[in-house]
Amino acid sequence: MKQLYRSYEESTEIFKKFQHDYPNNFKIESIGQTWEKREINLITISKDLKNADKKPALFFTGTIHAREWIGHELAIDFATYVLENLQTDPTLQTYLNVSTIYMVPCANPDGYEYARNHFSFWRKNRRQNADGTYGVDLNRNFPIGFVKSTITTSNVYGGPEPFSEPETCALRDFVLAHPNITIALDYHSQGNVFFPAHDFRHEDTLDTTDMNTLCANMAEEIRKISGREYGIHQGKPPAKLISGSGREFYYSHNIISTVVEVGTRNISDYMEDMNENIREHIPALIAALKETDNYAKNNSVKRVNSFEVTEFGSNHVNLKWDYPTNDKIYFEIYRSQRDKNFCNSSNLIAKTQNLEYKDINLFSNRDYYYNIRVVNKKTNQKSPFYPQIKVRTLIEYDEYSRTYYANAKATGYVAENLNNNDKHFGINSLFVGVDESKGVSYAVITINVKTLPDNALIKLASFNLYPINRVSTTIEKYGEWNVGLVNQETMGNITDFDDVESMEIIRYIGRPTESHQLTQGIWRTWSLSGLECIDLKKSVKDGMIVLRVEGPKGLRVGRTKQMMQWDIGYGKFGFGLSYRPRLELTYTIEPTTTVLYPKSVCTVSKQAIKDDEITAGYDKDGHKIYSTFEFNLSSLPPYNDTMITRVYFELNSTKIYIKDDIRFHLEFIDATINKDYEALTHREVIQNIGYDVSATELKNNQTQYFVFDSFSEIILNEKLKEKADITLVLKPTSAQKVIKDKSVSWEISNHNLSPKLVVEHIPKRRYPVSKVNNAQLIMEAGKIKVMWENPKESDFVGAKVIKNAFRKPLSPQDGQKLYAGTDNYTYDDFGAKDIDKYYAIFTYDDVPNYSEPIILEYKAKLS
């Protein structure tokens, strides 16, 4: 396997040959020497080498860690691909017309050769330290966040000071001398995950969306090739952050920067794994190259000045933005249903020159993510992205929503070979799968759903876990991870491995997650089918649901792990309470049915008005005969706490003998109309109810149902608000030009068959509770404290606090969630005090309806 990997000397010879064969497009040069006097190769690929340094550039670095050979190999094959296809591939030609590629294929030549020839797991360079030990971790030797250490034997020893190593000095000097670099990719192994740069603060930055989207676009190219899904995770406190890395140094110089962790092992089987990794990353690198020009320092196409939600409902979202418009530019709007998703042609929903956009035909109670960028029509150069918007559409009028989180004390993992499984509950990670030391491991997740009504009818459900670590685990290409509903009637001790392994599973939910789908930094979702939703409800016992998460149970020969680590939200290594396992439900409840009988019915013809009689058709002169029905809504529950969910009008005909083509329509009209023939023929129709019925249908079925459509139900709900009367009119129509003396009578004397309006409704609060009062920001113990007074209303359930540094959060999802509950304060525990930002406080009830936010603006004090 190792013999297929090329030595540093071999790659140097390859690059020298490329320079000879492609003198106009390829150059190799040295940017410094290592401790062992090897030249540090820098290669440049361009359509015009003379002007390469004047064009925006992609900067590739590989194998800064000696045992991570993917970077070196990928650089060779990527260079080969570009050079061999440059003359025939119009896409490459287009991108390289405006961009340059710089690559340091191996940033640690000494360490790489030592790993190849002596000790495969060697990570550092080959500096001889003062105490006689060897090596500095070059990716801890940069100045941003540098951590001083004296433990020279550590694999992450960062050296005596920043830039103490010739390798990092060479990278520094090259980057500082090339301000045309706009994107930097640092290739590592292992994990199949992107780690965008961070600035050591618990805040999204203006270009967080740019970095996430760049990574997501690359990840989508990988998925198209191999089906493999890459994670994206921008580290933030309280998670442990990488200090002194090249990624943060490049980012500190306004370069979009990310680490790319490739594969499942440091030195993969070349033919089985590494070859595939290389093949899938070439189109990913081309996707990155495409973006270099858009992040050029002199790009005149700037990002929009603002981007916000103005209004949203159950099936629409209205967006607006600010930008000086002209005929040369337009805006691209992208929509996704998951965070950190790609922005490409498949989710581009609008190109517009307007400063607003209404997105319609959405699903209720779903998360939608919106991104925007500006495009120059002439050059096709694009702006960076404005920070992403997240909004959850409202629930429908008959729906409720709940998000339930895992109960910490009853959530944990059990492992076959460990004796302290009870200690794994309420701690920060769930290990699921198998490894040599733990054996088989299961996660048990207990969720309190006591607020779910007994008569709830679950419409949609999803279970979500946050993958916390792919790098330190080794996941090969086999096996799947499943979530099962546990039968609590037969369940034993959830902290005992044997009891957990023998749990009776009622049903597995959602689609299995296969090994190639496991990612870090992107929620994994198991979406339930309709039948699974029914079983989920049946599995509730004493207000609890218990789930078992399981993975592969066997190891391949020579492998030690097939284990995934998921966040529980608690503990010093967790990412916070927002990352707890969660169950999201959309449900309705069984409705109450109220039958309304008409307060009056009458037949209106040109000759007469007859009360308590129902006839419709045509008189002997061919004039229409109408029937009217008047209902009073006062017997229905109060409007503010009632939603009408379904309405239909039932009508039963008497025996009829009509053979002519006559059909009958039911109309919803203004109740104040006079019931004389002239007024009725000039009536204003609010809406037709249901479908018309023919005389032929009446012969076959005496009972007819006229079902209200959505618009009619909305109008009826408004009539309920006023407790008003409503009027329905039955009118005849015919395709024949003249039809005379043909009519149908309808039952009225038989109570069971008489006309009736059937109204199904549920108790549901229509409006949110009042907003909070006296909201304010103060500094306390070095933290920003948000304080407020909750409303005193009995339906108040809690207040939710959202933080956003880029806009006022008008949606309770648009930003970082700081708190949700009944307290009247919270802290921005890790928030930077030198960044302006907004805090929004929403109140909510148990529907939930959210109030309009109270917005607090934090202004950083300038020193």
Side-chain angles (χ1 to χ4, degrees):
M1 175 186 72
K2 291 182 183 179
Q3 300 309 312
L4 297 176
Y5 287 87
R6 286 159 286 200
S7 69
Y8 192 72
E9 182 179 356
E10 285 176 307
S11 70
T12 301
E13 291 306 312
I14 291 171
F15 296 143
K16 287 179 179 179
K17 187 174 188 305
F18 284 163
Q19 183 171 253
H20 177 270
D21 293 345
Y22 303 94
N24 297 321
N25 306 123
F26 189 92
K27 178 175 67 173
I28 179 173
E29 60 188 306
S30 173
I31 57 171
Q33 286 189 333
T34 66
W35 286 105
E36 295 178 351
K37 303 306 178 182
R38 289 184 175 89
E39 302 295 334
I40 301 170
N41 292 332
L42 181 283
I43 64 176
T44 303
I45 305 176
S46 175
K47 281 192 72 178
D48 177 15
L49 283 175
K50 293 180 181 179
N51 293 301
D53 294 347
K54 298 177 182 178
K55 297 178 181 180
L58 173 69
F59 183 47
F60 173 113
T61 53
T63 314
I64 197 168
H65 287 147
R67 65 195 182 200
E68 299 174 18
W69 297 1
I70 174 63
H72 184 235
E73 287 294 324
L74 177 58
I76 299 169
D77 281 26
F78 182 51
T80 304
Y81 178 87
V82 173
L83 294 171
E84 290 180 350
N85 291 276
L86 182 56
Q87 300 307 316
T88 57
D89 186 339
T91 299
L92 279 175
Q93 291 176 0
T94 298
Y95 298 164
L96 283 172
N97 274 336
V98 295
S99 302
T100 296
I101 300 170
Y102 299 129
M103 290 198 286
V104 178
C106 180
N108 184 2
D110 294 349
Y112 175 61
E113 284 302 307
Y114 186 79
R116 284 187 67 253
N117 295 299
H118 299 287
F119 180 62
S120 297
F121 213 58
W122 187 256
R123 172 184 167 98
K124 300 183 285 185
N125 72 350
R126 293 299 295 166
R127 171 198 180 104
Q128 185 171 7
N129 298 309
D131 59 1
T133 62
Y134 278 87
V136 166
D137 182 347
L138 296 176
N139 207 39
R140 300 297 184 275
N141 189 240
F142 291 85
I144 309 301
F146 177 81
V147 174
K148 184 80 171 178
S149 171
T150 58
I151 307 175
T152 60
T153 56
S154 168
N155 264 336
V156 292
Y157 170 60
E161 61 188 17
F163 293 130
S164 61
E165 307 309 297
E167 297 91 345
T168 54
C169 288
L171 293 172
R172 175 198 63 194
D173 294 345
F174 179 79
V175 168
L176 294 180
H178 291 79
N180 59 319
I181 295 173
T182 64
I183 294 174
L185 305 176
D186 188 17
Y187 271 83
H188 291 248
S189 60
Q190 62 203 34
N192 296 337
V193 61
F194 292 90
F195 289 122
H198 57 76
D199 64 356
F200 294 91
R201 294 190 286 191
H202 197 49
E203 308 277 0
D204 282 342
T205 56
L206 185 61
D207 49 17
T208 291
T209 296
D210 295 302
M211 290 188 287
N212 284 341
T213 305
L214 171 70
C215 296
N217 287 343
M218 295 177 69
E220 177 62 6
E221 295 301 316
I222 294 168
R223 189 199 63 79
K224 287 193 294 188
I225 296 295
S226 65
R228 198 185 332 275
E229 296 188 24
Y230 263 61
I232 303 169
H233 182 72
Q234 184 185 38
K236 296 189 182 79
K240 183 179 179 181
L241 300 178
I242 301 301
S243 301
S245 79
R247 172 188 60 186
E248 272 66 57
F249 174 71
Y250 309 141
Y251 181 56
S252 71
H253 288 275
N254 300 313
I255 296 171
I256 297 298
S257 177
T258 184
V259 159
V260 191
E261 297 277 2
V262 182
T264 59
R265 302 174 69 81
N266 288 135
I267 307 170
S268 299
D269 182 303
Y270 195 97
M271 295 184 68
E272 181 179 351
D273 297 316
M274 183 61 75
N275 189 44
E276 182 177 292
N277 293 147
I278 290 171
R279 188 168 64 89
E280 68 191 7
H281 271 276
I282 287 175
L285 280 162
I286 293 171
L289 180 64
K290 177 183 178 181
E291 290 291 334
T292 54
D293 187 41
N294 298 327
Y295 292 99
K297 309 299 190 293
N298 61 352
N299 184 359
S300 61
V301 189
K302 306 302 181 184
R303 58 168 57 91
V304 297
N305 299 319
S306 66
F307 184 40
E308 61 187 48
V309 174
T310 57
E311 198 267 336
F312 60 99
S314 60
N315 59 11
H316 73 277
V317 173
N318 294 354
L319 306 167
K320 77 170 185 179
W321 53 93
D322 178 54
Y323 198 80
T325 58
N326 59 66
D327 292 338
K328 297 179 182 178
I329 61 98
Y330 65 89
F331 307 97
E332 290 182 340
I333 309 294
Y334 298 86
R335 180 189 68 206
S336 302
Q337 283 194 259
R338 77 171 189 175
D339 194 12
K340 294 180 279 192
N341 205 24
F342 54 80
C343 290
N344 62 28
S345 59
S346 64
N347 67 332
L348 174 64
I349 60 171
K351 294 180 179 180
T352 179
Q353 288 191 301
N354 297 324
L355 294 175
E356 58 185 4
Y357 178 74
K358 184 172 184 178
D359 193 16
I360 59 175
N361 298 326
L362 304 176
F363 293 100
S364 65
N365 201 35
R366 304 287 178 89
D367 289 332
Y368 290 96
Y369 301 85
Y370 292 95
N371 288 312
I372 188 172
R373 71 192 318 186
V374 190
V375 184
N376 183 307
K377 289 196 292 185
K378 184 176 180 180
T379 66
N380 204 39
Q381 192 173 31
K382 300 182 180 184
S383 75
F385 289 92
Y386 196 81
Q388 176 178 267
I389 285 175
K390 176 185 177 182
V391 60
R392 177 172 292 183
T393 50
L394 300 180
I395 52 179
E396 286 286 5
Y397 59 89
D398 65 336
E399 292 177 343
Y400 300 82
S401 176
R402 291 285 185 278
T403 299
Y404 294 108
Y405 294 98
N407 177 285
K409 292 182 179 179
T411 295
Y413 79 93
V414 296
E416 180 181 19
N417 297 334
L418 301 181
N419 296 320
N420 60 339
N421 283 318
D422 58 322
K423 305 296 184 184
H424 300 156
F425 283 71
I427 309 300
N428 59 69
S429 295
L430 301 172
F431 290 93
V432 181
V434 58
D435 73 15
E436 282 187 337
S437 60
K438 288 184 173 69
V440 175
S441 291
Y442 298 93
V444 179
I445 298 171
T446 305
I447 301 175
N448 184 329
V449 294
K450 289 182 179 178
T451 60
L452 183 67
D454 292 337
N455 62 344
L457 304 172
I458 299 174
K459 299 171 68 174
L460 291 169
S462 66
F463 175 68
N464 306 271
L465 286 174
Y466 191 76
I468 195 174
N469 197 330
R470 256 292 311 234
V471 175
S472 65
T473 58
T474 304
I475 297 176
E476 308 291 347
K477 293 188 296 182
Y478 74 92
E480 61 186 33
W481 279 254
N482 286 281
V483 179
L485 293 170
V486 175
N487 184 349
Q488 297 180 66
E489 299 291 342
T490 61
M491 182 179 72
N493 181 354
I494 63 172
T495 68
D496 181 87
F497 177 83
D498 292 333
D499 284 357
V500 171
E501 187 173 50
S502 61
M503 280 176 168
E504 179 185 350
I505 301 299
I506 298 171
R507 177 191 284 270
Y508 288 98
I509 60 173
R511 299 190 60 153
T513 292
E514 298 181 53
S515 59
H516 65 268
Q517 296 174 302
L518 282 176
T519 62
Q520 179 173 346
I522 296 177
W523 284 92
R524 194 70 207 164
T525 298
W526 286 263
S527 297
L528 280 68
S529 68
L531 291 175
E532 290 166 353
C533 286
I534 293 172
D535 285 339
L536 177 72
K537 181 71 187 312
K538 290 179 180 178
S539 74
V540 177
K541 181 184 178 185
D542 298 328
M544 297 290 180
I545 289 173
V546 177
L547 303 168
R548 186 182 75 182
V549 187
E550 60 189 76
K553 298 178 177 63
L555 291 170
R556 292 181 172 178
V557 174
R559 301 296 190 250
T560 61
K561 292 181 182 180
Q562 188 73 350
M563 180 84 74
M564 190 59 197
Q565 185 179 355
W566 313 84
D567 202 349
I568 196 175
Y570 301 93
K572 64 180 181 178
F573 298 113
F575 293 142
L577 296 180
S578 296
Y579 295 94
R580 290 171 288 175
R582 67 172 188 253
L583 177 68
E584 295 190 303
L585 302 179
T586 302
Y587 66 92
T588 186
I589 60 174
E590 296 174 2
T592 299
T593 300
T594 299
V595 177
L596 302 179
Y597 294 93
K599 60 183 287 189
S600 69
V601 299
C602 67
T603 298
V604 181
S605 67
K606 197 169 181 66
Q607 293 76 27
I609 298 175
K610 298 180 180 180
D611 293 328
D612 301 324
E613 179 183 309
I614 310 175
T615 300
Y618 294 89
D619 65 14
K620 62 182 179 179
D621 298 318
H623 298 119
K624 291 181 178 179
I625 303 170
Y626 301 93
S627 295
T628 67
F629 312 84
E630 188 174 349
F631 294 90
N632 183 268
L633 304 179
S634 60
S635 62
L636 292 171
Y639 170 82
N640 284 349
D641 299 302
T642 303
M643 289 285 186
I644 296 174
T645 59
R646 191 168 71 132
V647 185
Y648 60 91
F649 179 67
E650 182 180 327
L651 200 58
N652 288 273
S653 61
T654 58
K655 293 182 180 180
I656 62 171
Y657 304 97
I658 296 176
K659 297 182 180 179
D660 303 82
D661 183 15
I662 298 178
R663 305 185 74 83
F664 298 94
H665 290 263
L666 188 68
E667 298 174 342
F668 192 171
I669 70 167
D670 191 335
T672 61
I673 193 170
N674 294 324
K675 292 183 180 63
D676 61 79
Y677 193 79
E678 184 66 23
L680 205 56
T681 55
H682 293 89
R683 69 200 173 280
E684 182 178 339
V685 178
I686 297 173
Q687 182 71 310
N688 290 324
I689 303 299
Y691 294 97
D692 58 320
V693 296
S694 67
T696 303
E697 290 172 316
L698 292 176
K699 290 179 183 178
N700 300 327
N701 190 356
Q702 179 186 12
T703 303
Q704 294 298 320
Y705 300 99
F706 298 85
V707 181
F708 280 52
D709 63 9
S710 299
F711 178 75
S712 303
E713 289 176 354
I714 291 171
I715 299 301
L716 192 64
N717 271 287
E718 291 304 306
K719 296 290 185 181
L720 175 62
K721 184 177 183 179
E722 305 161 5
K723 292 291 186 180
D725 291 345
I726 66 166
T727 300
L728 306 178
V729 172
L730 191 68
K731 79 162 187 180
T733 62
S734 177
Q736 299 179 31
K737 187 172 183 180
V738 177
I739 187 166
K740 297 181 179 181
D741 202 21
K742 303 290 184 182
S743 62
V744 174
S745 294
W746 310 82
E747 288 284 359
I748 191 170
S749 56
N750 184 332
H751 182 75
N752 292 330
L753 299 178
S754 63
K756 56 182 69 72
L757 189 67
V758 180
V759 182
E760 296 181 0
H761 50 90
I762 60 174
K764 179 182 171 183
R765 185 182 173 100
R766 288 180 179 268
Y767 302 113
V769 296
S770 301
K771 303 176 188 178
V772 301
N773 297 310
N774 299 324
Q776 58 181 309
L777 300 174
I778 65 170
M779 294 300 298
E780 185 174 289
K783 299 178 181 178
I784 302 170
K785 183 178 183 180
V786 190
M787 302 172 62
W788 63 89
E789 293 178 6
N790 289 319
K792 304 299 183 184
E793 299 170 43
S794 59
D795 286 344
F796 168 78
V797 170
K800 184 175 184 178
V801 182
I802 296 292
K803 176 178 70 171
N804 194 310
F806 312 108
R807 56 183 160 262
K808 297 177 180 178
L810 302 181
S811 158
Q813 275 72 38
D814 190 24
Q816 181 185 351
K817 174 185 169 185
L818 296 182
Y819 174 77
T822 57
D823 288 341
N824 57 4
Y825 71 94
T826 190
Y827 292 95
D828 189 3
D829 285 328
F830 300 97
K833 295 184 284 294
D834 59 343
I835 294 178
D836 294 348
K837 67 198 82 174
Y838 296 99
Y839 297 88
I841 311 171
F842 302 83
T843 59
Y844 57 93
D845 57 22
D846 69 349
V847 172
N849 295 304
Y850 286 94
S851 70
E852 293 294 318
I854 294 293
I855 304 289
L856 299 173
E857 183 176 7
Y858 173 82
K859 300 294 289 185
K861 294 181 179 179
L862 299 177
S863 57

